[in-house]
Amino acid sequence: MAEEPLALKPGDRRVEWETNTWLLGAEDEDRQSLSAAEVVAAFEQTAAGIRERIRELGFSGVATFYVWHDGQAGQLRCSTSSVPPDELPFNGAYVVSDHLGPVVEGFLAGRMPGVVAWSGLADAESRLEQAMTEPEITPLRVWTRSVGTSL
């Protein structure tokens, strides 16, 4: 990802999103063979590579590399945007985290989308009733790294 196309266009967030966003999935057996530490190290290296590329491009602004776990899609996703961490292009609530481990662990512990274990079906009706009476919105946890040339 650190060597893929990179668009930093503060006036065109859509181009940034379409060019800079990556969706990473894994089969269950691949998830079991990976360690959170390995994945975290890979993202740290990616952030460092993107930071270096931004400097080489001469971009003189704020840029943030960020990673989150899309539990519904069963994917880790990452992107780079020319905004500070508190202005990332999410439609819902999110919490910025300095620790990538919990984000990666959630992904590695997850299952492929569309796959539900039999044990998960046993009390689905009672969980549905509870969800309808007690809506719980958990903010998305997003790991960020500043990769721009200014803060």
Side-chain angles (χ1 to χ4, degrees), residues 77-95:
R77 296 183 178 195
C78 63
S79 192
T80 304
S81 187
S82 59
V83 297
D86 62 345
E87 295 179 23
L88 296 175
F90 290 107
N91 290 329
Y94 67 95
V95 175

Side-chain angles (χ1 to χ4, degrees), residues 23-102:
L23 318 174
L24 309 166
E27 299 290 330
D28 287 340
E29 55 270 6
D30 293 329
R31 291 173 198 251
Q32 294 170 2
S33 68
L34 293 170
S35 75
E38 291 170 317
V39 177
V40 167
F43 277 116
E44 290 279 5
Q45 289 176 338
T46 300
I50 290 172
R51 182 180 301 112
E52 186 61 32
R53 283 188 60 206
I54 289 172
R55 282 177 173 61
E56 290 171 0
L57 291 171
F59 179 78
S60 60
V62 173
T64 303
F65 175 71
Y66 54 105
V67 178
W68 70 101
H69 173 219
D70 181 332
Q72 287 183 317
Q75 299 170 333
L76 274 177
R77 296 183 178 195
C78 63
S79 192
T80 304
S81 187
S82 59
V83 297
D86 62 345
E87 295 179 23
L88 296 175
F90 290 107
N91 290 329
Y94 67 95
V95 175
V96 173
S97 175
D98 288 333
H99 304 287
L100 181 54

Side-chain angles (χ1 to χ4, degrees), residues 111 116-124 127:
R111 298 179 94 19
V116 178
W118 283 109
S119 60
L121 297 174
D123 63 344
R127 282 185 282 155

